[in-house]
Amino acid sequence: MEKVVVSIGGSILVPGENDAEFIGKLAEMLKDVSKEVQVAVVCGGGKTARYYAGIAKDLGGDTYAQDILGIAATRMNAQLLSLALGDMPDTVTGDVEETAKLSAPGKIVVMGGTVPGHTTDAVSSMLAAAIGADRIVNGTSVDAVYTDDPRKNPDAKKITSMTIDELGDIVYKEHGASKSSVFDPLGVKLAKENRMDILIIDGRNLDELRNAILGKEINGTFVNSH
Ligand code: UTP
């Protein structure tokens, strides 16, 4: 059975609109596809993470403090998805190896962040490496990678397929140390080292998400790591 890690952005899980309805439908879809592929999910923190990190910053908190609050938000989102899947833990582990051990065919494991210094995209790559995943599906709020920022440049073109090195060029160069990128640079590095493909898709589109998880054709960007 193929193994897939789904990195689902907090902005996808809880945008503040029909959240329960969406998370419920997402859980149903995940249960359904997990009959065909082994699924592990890493949840992002979204605006809750940014809101709390922002307050921490205003209080004089350093990056470490902001990251810790961001991680807490990712874990709350992991709890919401776990609840929808039928089994909410009192606490969410930040241990990739522990989560990997629990991952099995037909059993969906869910986690959030681990330690300060990266984002849940990187955690997805770590978890994917730990379970030996075939691919990482990044359900995000941009529907694909573009040649330029489509919100600013009307000539920006969607990239349907690219190599992991090409994605590396974009994430290392464009964003440097910045955390908000199409995929976390550390996550790209780990995906390359472990030869795991990355699919960057519109996470709010459940049909697209399902197709990506099952390895079918997608409208987003396929990043080839082989
Ligand atoms: P996200 O993974 O949601 O990061 O974690 P993000 O890039 O800000 O969100 P998206 O991908 O654009 O939706 C939220 C924050 O939590 C901290 C970081 O500060 C991150 O920005 N975090 C998360 C960690 O420090 N370590 C982790 O393992 C995960």
PDB file of all heavy atoms in Angstrom, residues 145-181:
ATOM      1  N   VAL A 145       2.138  26.196  -7.821  1.00  0.00           N
ATOM      2  CA  VAL A 145       3.288  27.096  -7.867  1.00  0.00           C
ATOM      3  C   VAL A 145       3.188  27.886  -9.175  1.00  0.00           C
ATOM      4  O   VAL A 145       2.841  27.319 -10.210  1.00  0.00           O
ATOM      5  CB  VAL A 145       4.618  26.303  -7.846  1.00  0.00           C
ATOM      6  CG1 VAL A 145       5.813  27.257  -7.845  1.00  0.00           C
ATOM      7  CG2 VAL A 145       4.681  25.386  -6.623  1.00  0.00           C
ATOM      8  N   TYR A 146       3.470  29.168  -9.124  1.00  0.00           N
ATOM      9  CA  TYR A 146       3.414  30.027 -10.311  1.00  0.00           C
ATOM     10  C   TYR A 146       4.800  30.597 -10.618  1.00  0.00           C
ATOM     11  O   TYR A 146       5.683  30.617  -9.747  1.00  0.00           O
ATOM     12  CB  TYR A 146       2.416  31.177 -10.087  1.00  0.00           C
ATOM     13  CG  TYR A 146       0.980  30.732 -10.145  1.00  0.00           C
ATOM     14  CD1 TYR A 146       0.386  30.100  -9.047  1.00  0.00           C
ATOM     15  CD2 TYR A 146       0.215  30.898 -11.297  1.00  0.00           C
ATOM     16  CE1 TYR A 146      -0.938  29.660  -9.095  1.00  0.00           C
ATOM     17  CE2 TYR A 146      -1.113  30.465 -11.352  1.00  0.00           C
ATOM     18  CZ  TYR A 146      -1.685  29.854 -10.254  1.00  0.00           C
ATOM     19  OH  TYR A 146      -2.981  29.417 -10.314  1.00  0.00           O
ATOM     20  N   THR A 147       4.960  31.081 -11.841  1.00  0.00           N
ATOM     21  CA  THR A 147       6.247  31.665 -12.246  1.00  0.00           C
ATOM     22  C   THR A 147       6.507  32.972 -11.501  1.00  0.00           C
ATOM     23  O   THR A 147       7.640  33.413 -11.381  1.00  0.00           O
ATOM     24  CB  THR A 147       6.285  31.932 -13.760  1.00  0.00           C
ATOM     25  OG1 THR A 147       5.114  32.683 -14.100  1.00  0.00           O
ATOM     26  CG2 THR A 147       6.307  30.627 -14.560  1.00  0.00           C
ATOM     27  N   ASP A 148       5.442  33.588 -11.029  1.00  0.00           N
ATOM     28  CA  ASP A 148       5.556  34.824 -10.251  1.00  0.00           C
ATOM     29  C   ASP A 148       4.310  34.901  -9.363  1.00  0.00           C
ATOM     30  O   ASP A 148       3.416  34.063  -9.483  1.00  0.00           O
ATOM     31  CB  ASP A 148       5.637  36.025 -11.216  1.00  0.00           C
ATOM     32  CG  ASP A 148       6.174  37.286 -10.512  1.00  0.00           C
ATOM     33  OD1 ASP A 148       6.513  37.208  -9.308  1.00  0.00           O
ATOM     34  OD2 ASP A 148       6.243  38.339 -11.166  1.00  0.00           O
ATOM     35  N   ASP A 149       4.239  35.895  -8.507  1.00  0.00           N
ATOM     36  CA  ASP A 149       3.071  36.038  -7.638  1.00  0.00           C
ATOM     37  C   ASP A 149       1.839  36.417  -8.483  1.00  0.00           C
ATOM     38  O   ASP A 149       1.781  37.534  -9.011  1.00  0.00           O
ATOM     39  CB  ASP A 149       3.351  37.128  -6.580  1.00  0.00           C
ATOM     40  CG  ASP A 149       2.257  37.180  -5.531  1.00  0.00           C
ATOM     41  OD1 ASP A 149       1.130  36.705  -5.816  1.00  0.00           O
ATOM     42  OD2 ASP A 149       2.522  37.693  -4.430  1.00  0.00           O
ATOM     43  N   PRO A 150       0.884  35.494  -8.637  1.00  0.00           N
ATOM     44  CA  PRO A 150      -0.266  35.774  -9.507  1.00  0.00           C
ATOM     45  C   PRO A 150      -1.150  36.929  -9.020  1.00  0.00           C
ATOM     46  O   PRO A 150      -1.902  37.507  -9.811  1.00  0.00           O
ATOM     47  CB  PRO A 150      -1.040  34.455  -9.522  1.00  0.00           C
ATOM     48  CG  PRO A 150      -0.547  33.674  -8.369  1.00  0.00           C
ATOM     49  CD  PRO A 150       0.819  34.170  -8.011  1.00  0.00           C
ATOM     50  N   ARG A 151      -1.030  37.272  -7.734  1.00  0.00           N
ATOM     51  CA  ARG A 151      -1.832  38.390  -7.221  1.00  0.00           C
ATOM     52  C   ARG A 151      -1.247  39.731  -7.672  1.00  0.00           C
ATOM     53  O   ARG A 151      -1.938  40.726  -7.754  1.00  0.00           O
ATOM     54  CB  ARG A 151      -1.887  38.355  -5.690  1.00  0.00           C
ATOM     55  CG  ARG A 151      -2.817  37.280  -5.150  1.00  0.00           C
ATOM     56  CD  ARG A 151      -2.565  37.031  -3.697  1.00  0.00           C
ATOM     57  NE  ARG A 151      -1.182  36.641  -3.451  1.00  0.00           N
ATOM     58  CZ  ARG A 151      -0.702  36.210  -2.296  1.00  0.00           C
ATOM     59  NH1 ARG A 151      -1.493  36.133  -1.260  1.00  0.00           N
ATOM     60  NH2 ARG A 151       0.554  35.854  -2.170  1.00  0.00           N
ATOM     61  N   LYS A 152       0.056  39.714  -7.971  1.00  0.00           N
ATOM     62  CA  LYS A 152       0.723  40.958  -8.371  1.00  0.00           C
ATOM     63  C   LYS A 152       1.023  41.014  -9.866  1.00  0.00           C
ATOM     64  O   LYS A 152       1.067  42.087 -10.452  1.00  0.00           O
ATOM     65  CB  LYS A 152       2.040  41.115  -7.587  1.00  0.00           C
ATOM     66  CG  LYS A 152       1.819  41.325  -6.098  1.00  0.00           C
ATOM     67  CD  LYS A 152       3.151  41.483  -5.366  1.00  0.00           C
ATOM     68  CE  LYS A 152       2.975  41.377  -3.863  1.00  0.00           C
ATOM     69  NZ  LYS A 152       4.174  40.876  -3.195  1.00  0.00           N
ATOM     70  N   ASN A 153       1.259  39.853 -10.463  1.00  0.00           N
ATOM     71  CA  ASN A 153       1.651  39.813 -11.863  1.00  0.00           C
ATOM     72  C   ASN A 153       0.638  39.014 -12.684  1.00  0.00           C
ATOM     73  O   ASN A 153       0.566  37.799 -12.580  1.00  0.00           O
ATOM     74  CB  ASN A 153       3.054  39.185 -11.972  1.00  0.00           C
ATOM     75  CG  ASN A 153       3.539  39.127 -13.402  1.00  0.00           C
ATOM     76  OD1 ASN A 153       2.809  39.433 -14.336  1.00  0.00           O
ATOM     77  ND2 ASN A 153       4.789  38.709 -13.570  1.00  0.00           N
ATOM     78  N   PRO A 154      -0.174  39.719 -13.536  1.00  0.00           N
ATOM     79  CA  PRO A 154      -1.205  39.015 -14.305  1.00  0.00           C
ATOM     80  C   PRO A 154      -0.617  38.038 -15.327  1.00  0.00           C
ATOM     81  O   PRO A 154      -1.329  37.157 -15.828  1.00  0.00           O
ATOM     82  CB  PRO A 154      -1.956  40.147 -15.018  1.00  0.00           C
ATOM     83  CG  PRO A 154      -1.073  41.336 -14.934  1.00  0.00           C
ATOM     84  CD  PRO A 154      -0.167  41.165 -13.764  1.00  0.00           C
ATOM     85  N   ASP A 155       0.675  38.169 -15.634  1.00  0.00           N
ATOM     86  CA  ASP A 155       1.317  37.261 -16.601  1.00  0.00           C
ATOM     87  C   ASP A 155       1.891  36.008 -15.929  1.00  0.00           C
ATOM     88  O   ASP A 155       2.480  35.156 -16.609  1.00  0.00           O
ATOM     89  CB  ASP A 155       2.448  37.983 -17.346  1.00  0.00           C
ATOM     90  CG  ASP A 155       1.897  39.101 -18.231  1.00  0.00           C
ATOM     91  OD1 ASP A 155       0.761  38.931 -18.716  1.00  0.00           O
ATOM     92  OD2 ASP A 155       2.584  40.122 -18.402  1.00  0.00           O
ATOM     93  N   ALA A 156       1.747  35.914 -14.612  1.00  0.00           N
ATOM     94  CA  ALA A 156       2.282  34.746 -13.906  1.00  0.00           C
ATOM     95  C   ALA A 156       1.611  33.476 -14.425  1.00  0.00           C
ATOM     96  O   ALA A 156       0.398  33.433 -14.600  1.00  0.00           O
ATOM     97  CB  ALA A 156       2.041  34.892 -12.404  1.00  0.00           C
ATOM     98  N   LYS A 157       2.427  32.464 -14.703  1.00  0.00           N
ATOM     99  CA  LYS A 157       1.888  31.209 -15.259  1.00  0.00           C
ATOM    100  C   LYS A 157       1.970  30.081 -14.218  1.00  0.00           C
ATOM    101  O   LYS A 157       2.932  29.998 -13.457  1.00  0.00           O
ATOM    102  CB  LYS A 157       2.718  30.781 -16.472  1.00  0.00           C
ATOM    103  CG  LYS A 157       2.714  31.791 -17.608  1.00  0.00           C
ATOM    104  CD  LYS A 157       2.069  31.198 -18.849  1.00  0.00           C
ATOM    105  CE  LYS A 157       1.834  32.185 -19.962  1.00  0.00           C
ATOM    106  NZ  LYS A 157       1.826  33.616 -19.647  1.00  0.00           N
ATOM    107  N   LYS A 158       0.945  29.247 -14.255  1.00  0.00           N
ATOM    108  CA  LYS A 158       0.934  28.093 -13.358  1.00  0.00           C
ATOM    109  C   LYS A 158       1.978  27.068 -13.833  1.00  0.00           C
ATOM    110  O   LYS A 158       2.080  26.798 -15.022  1.00  0.00           O
ATOM    111  CB  LYS A 158      -0.451  27.460 -13.372  1.00  0.00           C
ATOM    112  CG  LYS A 158      -0.617  26.359 -12.336  1.00  0.00           C
ATOM    113  CD  LYS A 158      -1.848  25.531 -12.596  1.00  0.00           C
ATOM    114  CE  LYS A 158      -3.103  26.142 -12.048  1.00  0.00           C
ATOM    115  NZ  LYS A 158      -4.259  25.223 -12.130  1.00  0.00           N
ATOM    116  N   ILE A 159       2.740  26.525 -12.894  1.00  0.00           N
ATOM    117  CA  ILE A 159       3.708  25.484 -13.236  1.00  0.00           C
ATOM    118  C   ILE A 159       3.070  24.142 -12.878  1.00  0.00           C
ATOM    119  O   ILE A 159       2.771  23.888 -11.706  1.00  0.00           O
ATOM    120  CB  ILE A 159       5.025  25.675 -12.447  1.00  0.00           C
ATOM    121  CG1 ILE A 159       5.613  27.066 -12.727  1.00  0.00           C
ATOM    122  CG2 ILE A 159       6.026  24.579 -12.806  1.00  0.00           C
ATOM    123  CD1 ILE A 159       6.814  27.422 -11.842  1.00  0.00           C
ATOM    124  N   THR A 160       2.809  23.314 -13.877  1.00  0.00           N
ATOM    125  CA  THR A 160       2.115  22.058 -13.587  1.00  0.00           C
ATOM    126  C   THR A 160       3.078  20.973 -13.091  1.00  0.00           C
ATOM    127  O   THR A 160       2.680  20.099 -12.325  1.00  0.00           O
ATOM    128  CB  THR A 160       1.363  21.527 -14.832  1.00  0.00           C
ATOM    129  OG1 THR A 160       2.290  21.465 -15.916  1.00  0.00           O
ATOM    130  CG2 THR A 160       0.213  22.433 -15.198  1.00  0.00           C
ATOM    131  N   SER A 161       4.336  21.082 -13.538  1.00  0.00           N
ATOM    132  CA  SER A 161       5.300  20.063 -13.149  1.00  0.00           C
ATOM    133  C   SER A 161       6.692  20.669 -13.049  1.00  0.00           C
ATOM    134  O   SER A 161       7.066  21.508 -13.874  1.00  0.00           O
ATOM    135  CB  SER A 161       5.269  18.962 -14.220  1.00  0.00           C
ATOM    136  OG  SER A 161       6.283  18.033 -13.971  1.00  0.00           O
ATOM    137  N   MET A 162       7.426  20.292 -12.034  1.00  0.00           N
ATOM    138  CA  MET A 162       8.790  20.809 -11.864  1.00  0.00           C
ATOM    139  C   MET A 162       9.620  19.793 -11.093  1.00  0.00           C
ATOM    140  O   MET A 162       9.073  18.866 -10.491  1.00  0.00           O
ATOM    141  CB  MET A 162       8.750  22.159 -11.137  1.00  0.00           C
ATOM    142  CG  MET A 162       8.344  22.073  -9.683  1.00  0.00           C
ATOM    143  SD  MET A 162       7.784  23.657  -8.974  1.00  0.00           S
ATOM    144  CE  MET A 162       9.171  24.701  -9.286  1.00  0.00           C
ATOM    145  N   THR A 163      10.933  19.986 -11.100  1.00  0.00           N
ATOM    146  CA  THR A 163      11.789  19.071 -10.336  1.00  0.00           C
ATOM    147  C   THR A 163      11.965  19.624  -8.918  1.00  0.00           C
ATOM    148  O   THR A 163      11.741  20.818  -8.666  1.00  0.00           O
ATOM    149  CB  THR A 163      13.181  18.926 -10.976  1.00  0.00           C
ATOM    150  OG1 THR A 163      13.848  20.188 -10.872  1.00  0.00           O
ATOM    151  CG2 THR A 163      13.092  18.490 -12.433  1.00  0.00           C
ATOM    152  N   ILE A 164      12.418  18.756  -8.038  1.00  0.00           N
ATOM    153  CA  ILE A 164      12.636  19.183  -6.652  1.00  0.00           C
ATOM    154  C   ILE A 164      13.737  20.251  -6.588  1.00  0.00           C
ATOM    155  O   ILE A 164      13.692  21.152  -5.748  1.00  0.00           O
ATOM    156  CB  ILE A 164      12.942  17.966  -5.735  1.00  0.00           C
ATOM    157  CG1 ILE A 164      12.862  18.342  -4.254  1.00  0.00           C
ATOM    158  CG2 ILE A 164      14.274  17.334  -6.043  1.00  0.00           C
ATOM    159  CD1 ILE A 164      11.515  18.264  -3.642  1.00  0.00           C
ATOM    160  N   ASP A 165      14.705  20.172  -7.503  1.00  0.00           N
ATOM    161  CA  ASP A 165      15.763  21.194  -7.521  1.00  0.00           C
ATOM    162  C   ASP A 165      15.197  22.553  -7.936  1.00  0.00           C
ATOM    163  O   ASP A 165      15.603  23.592  -7.422  1.00  0.00           O
ATOM    164  CB  ASP A 165      16.902  20.779  -8.457  1.00  0.00           C
ATOM    165  CG  ASP A 165      17.726  19.654  -7.852  1.00  0.00           C
ATOM    166  OD1 ASP A 165      17.858  19.622  -6.610  1.00  0.00           O
ATOM    167  OD2 ASP A 165      18.213  18.800  -8.610  1.00  0.00           O
ATOM    168  N   GLU A 166      14.256  22.530  -8.876  1.00  0.00           N
ATOM    169  CA  GLU A 166      13.630  23.791  -9.302  1.00  0.00           C
ATOM    170  C   GLU A 166      12.823  24.400  -8.144  1.00  0.00           C
ATOM    171  O   GLU A 166      12.849  25.616  -7.935  1.00  0.00           O
ATOM    172  CB  GLU A 166      12.735  23.557 -10.524  1.00  0.00           C
ATOM    173  CG  GLU A 166      13.541  23.337 -11.801  1.00  0.00           C
ATOM    174  CD  GLU A 166      12.717  22.795 -12.971  1.00  0.00           C
ATOM    175  OE1 GLU A 166      11.600  22.266 -12.750  1.00  0.00           O
ATOM    176  OE2 GLU A 166      13.208  22.883 -14.103  1.00  0.00           O
ATOM    177  N   LEU A 167      12.134  23.543  -7.386  1.00  0.00           N
ATOM    178  CA  LEU A 167      11.403  24.059  -6.221  1.00  0.00           C
ATOM    179  C   LEU A 167      12.403  24.605  -5.192  1.00  0.00           C
ATOM    180  O   LEU A 167      12.177  25.654  -4.589  1.00  0.00           O
ATOM    181  CB  LEU A 167      10.534  22.963  -5.586  1.00  0.00           C
ATOM    182  CG  LEU A 167       9.741  23.395  -4.345  1.00  0.00           C
ATOM    183  CD1 LEU A 167       8.727  24.487  -4.692  1.00  0.00           C
ATOM    184  CD2 LEU A 167       9.005  22.207  -3.714  1.00  0.00           C
ATOM    185  N   GLY A 168      13.508  23.887  -5.041  1.00  0.00           N
ATOM    186  CA  GLY A 168      14.563  24.345  -4.138  1.00  0.00           C
ATOM    187  C   GLY A 168      15.046  25.738  -4.517  1.00  0.00           C
ATOM    188  O   GLY A 168      15.183  26.612  -3.662  1.00  0.00           O
ATOM    189  N   ASP A 169      15.258  25.959  -5.814  1.00  0.00           N
ATOM    190  CA  ASP A 169      15.712  27.279  -6.277  1.00  0.00           C
ATOM    191  C   ASP A 169      14.733  28.363  -5.840  1.00  0.00           C
ATOM    192  O   ASP A 169      15.127  29.434  -5.385  1.00  0.00           O
ATOM    193  CB  ASP A 169      15.807  27.309  -7.816  1.00  0.00           C
ATOM    194  CG  ASP A 169      17.030  26.550  -8.306  1.00  0.00           C
ATOM    195  OD1 ASP A 169      17.913  26.270  -7.477  1.00  0.00           O
ATOM    196  OD2 ASP A 169      17.084  26.231  -9.505  1.00  0.00           O
ATOM    197  N   ILE A 170      13.444  28.072  -5.978  1.00  0.00           N
ATOM    198  CA  ILE A 170      12.420  29.069  -5.611  1.00  0.00           C
ATOM    199  C   ILE A 170      12.426  29.322  -4.100  1.00  0.00           C
ATOM    200  O   ILE A 170      12.510  30.465  -3.660  1.00  0.00           O
ATOM    201  CB  ILE A 170      11.011  28.603  -6.056  1.00  0.00           C
ATOM    202  CG1 ILE A 170      10.922  28.581  -7.580  1.00  0.00           C
ATOM    203  CG2 ILE A 170       9.943  29.527  -5.473  1.00  0.00           C
ATOM    204  CD1 ILE A 170       9.598  28.056  -8.109  1.00  0.00           C
ATOM    205  N   VAL A 171      12.363  28.265  -3.307  1.00  0.00           N
ATOM    206  CA  VAL A 171      12.187  28.488  -1.864  1.00  0.00           C
ATOM    207  C   VAL A 171      13.453  29.013  -1.179  1.00  0.00           C
ATOM    208  O   VAL A 171      13.359  29.789  -0.239  1.00  0.00           O
ATOM    209  CB  VAL A 171      11.648  27.248  -1.102  1.00  0.00           C
ATOM    210  CG1 VAL A 171      10.302  26.818  -1.654  1.00  0.00           C
ATOM    211  CG2 VAL A 171      12.614  26.097  -1.104  1.00  0.00           C
ATOM    212  N   TYR A 172      14.636  28.623  -1.663  1.00  0.00           N
ATOM    213  CA  TYR A 172      15.859  29.122  -1.024  1.00  0.00           C
ATOM    214  C   TYR A 172      16.083  30.579  -1.402  1.00  0.00           C
ATOM    215  O   TYR A 172      16.378  31.418  -0.572  1.00  0.00           O
ATOM    216  CB  TYR A 172      17.084  28.302  -1.423  1.00  0.00           C
ATOM    217  CG  TYR A 172      16.987  26.840  -1.056  1.00  0.00           C
ATOM    218  CD1 TYR A 172      17.364  25.850  -1.958  1.00  0.00           C
ATOM    219  CD2 TYR A 172      16.509  26.447   0.194  1.00  0.00           C
ATOM    220  CE1 TYR A 172      17.256  24.505  -1.632  1.00  0.00           C
ATOM    221  CE2 TYR A 172      16.402  25.108   0.524  1.00  0.00           C
ATOM    222  CZ  TYR A 172      16.773  24.140  -0.390  1.00  0.00           C
ATOM    223  OH  TYR A 172      16.663  22.823  -0.072  1.00  0.00           O
ATOM    224  N   LYS A 173      15.933  30.854  -2.701  1.00  0.00           N
ATOM    225  CA  LYS A 173      16.236  32.190  -3.215  1.00  0.00           C
ATOM    226  C   LYS A 173      15.177  33.216  -2.800  1.00  0.00           C
ATOM    227  O   LYS A 173      15.479  34.230  -2.204  1.00  0.00           O
ATOM    228  CB  LYS A 173      16.321  32.109  -4.750  1.00  0.00           C
ATOM    229  CG  LYS A 173      16.591  33.420  -5.436  1.00  0.00           C
ATOM    230  CD  LYS A 173      16.973  33.192  -6.898  1.00  0.00           C
ATOM    231  CE  LYS A 173      15.930  32.395  -7.657  1.00  0.00           C
ATOM    232  NZ  LYS A 173      16.333  31.931  -8.962  1.00  0.00           N
ATOM    233  N   GLU A 174      13.914  32.876  -3.089  1.00  0.00           N
ATOM    234  CA  GLU A 174      12.852  33.864  -2.952  1.00  0.00           C
ATOM    235  C   GLU A 174      12.602  34.304  -1.516  1.00  0.00           C
ATOM    236  O   GLU A 174      12.399  35.465  -1.236  1.00  0.00           O
ATOM    237  CB  GLU A 174      11.559  33.290  -3.523  1.00  0.00           C
ATOM    238  CG  GLU A 174      10.682  34.331  -4.147  1.00  0.00           C
ATOM    239  CD  GLU A 174       9.436  33.699  -4.748  1.00  0.00           C
ATOM    240  OE1 GLU A 174       8.773  32.945  -4.030  1.00  0.00           O
ATOM    241  OE2 GLU A 174       9.162  33.948  -5.920  1.00  0.00           O
ATOM    242  N   HIS A 175      12.629  33.342  -0.619  1.00  0.00           N
ATOM    243  CA  HIS A 175      12.191  33.692   0.724  1.00  0.00           C
ATOM    244  C   HIS A 175      13.283  33.674   1.794  1.00  0.00           C
ATOM    245  O   HIS A 175      13.052  34.128   2.901  1.00  0.00           O
ATOM    246  CB  HIS A 175      11.035  32.788   1.144  1.00  0.00           C
ATOM    247  CG  HIS A 175       9.826  32.994   0.299  1.00  0.00           C
ATOM    248  ND1 HIS A 175       8.946  34.012   0.539  1.00  0.00           N
ATOM    249  CD2 HIS A 175       9.383  32.343  -0.794  1.00  0.00           C
ATOM    250  CE1 HIS A 175       7.990  33.966  -0.383  1.00  0.00           C
ATOM    251  NE2 HIS A 175       8.235  32.970  -1.193  1.00  0.00           N
ATOM    252  N   GLY A 176      14.424  33.131   1.441  1.00  0.00           N
ATOM    253  CA  GLY A 176      15.514  33.112   2.411  1.00  0.00           C
ATOM    254  C   GLY A 176      15.073  32.566   3.740  1.00  0.00           C
ATOM    255  O   GLY A 176      14.541  31.469   3.816  1.00  0.00           O
ATOM    256  N   ALA A 177      15.256  33.352   4.784  1.00  0.00           N
ATOM    257  CA  ALA A 177      14.927  32.866   6.126  1.00  0.00           C
ATOM    258  C   ALA A 177      13.437  33.028   6.457  1.00  0.00           C
ATOM    259  O   ALA A 177      12.986  32.566   7.488  1.00  0.00           O
ATOM    260  CB  ALA A 177      15.764  33.611   7.148  1.00  0.00           C
ATOM    261  N   SER A 178      12.711  33.685   5.562  1.00  0.00           N
ATOM    262  CA  SER A 178      11.295  33.914   5.837  1.00  0.00           C
ATOM    263  C   SER A 178      10.543  32.597   5.963  1.00  0.00           C
ATOM    264  O   SER A 178      10.858  31.621   5.304  1.00  0.00           O
ATOM    265  CB  SER A 178      10.680  34.734   4.709  1.00  0.00           C
ATOM    266  OG  SER A 178       9.295  34.524   4.671  1.00  0.00           O
ATOM    267  N   LYS A 179       9.532  32.596   6.797  1.00  0.00           N
ATOM    268  CA  LYS A 179       8.826  31.349   7.044  1.00  0.00           C
ATOM    269  C   LYS A 179       7.688  31.114   6.075  1.00  0.00           C
ATOM    270  O   LYS A 179       7.222  30.009   5.936  1.00  0.00           O
ATOM    271  CB  LYS A 179       8.296  31.352   8.469  1.00  0.00           C
ATOM    272  CG  LYS A 179       9.377  31.046   9.468  1.00  0.00           C
ATOM    273  CD  LYS A 179       8.768  31.078  10.837  1.00  0.00           C
ATOM    274  CE  LYS A 179       9.829  30.975  11.895  1.00  0.00           C
ATOM    275  NZ  LYS A 179       9.338  31.527  13.133  1.00  0.00           N
ATOM    276  N   SER A 180       7.210  32.192   5.457  1.00  0.00           N
ATOM    277  CA  SER A 180       6.057  32.011   4.600  1.00  0.00           C
ATOM    278  C   SER A 180       6.515  31.779   3.162  1.00  0.00           C
ATOM    279  O   SER A 180       6.904  32.683   2.458  1.00  0.00           O
ATOM    280  CB  SER A 180       5.151  33.231   4.686  1.00  0.00           C
ATOM    281  OG  SER A 180       3.969  32.946   3.997  1.00  0.00           O
ATOM    282  N   SER A 181       6.462  30.528   2.753  1.00  0.00           N
ATOM    283  CA  SER A 181       6.957  30.168   1.439  1.00  0.00           C
ATOM    284  C   SER A 181       6.017  29.127   0.869  1.00  0.00           C
ATOM    285  O   SER A 181       5.118  28.651   1.552  1.00  0.00           O
ATOM    286  CB  SER A 181       8.367  29.609   1.605  1.00  0.00           C
ATOM    287  OG  SER A 181       8.872  29.224   0.379  1.00  0.00           O
TER     288      SER A 181
END
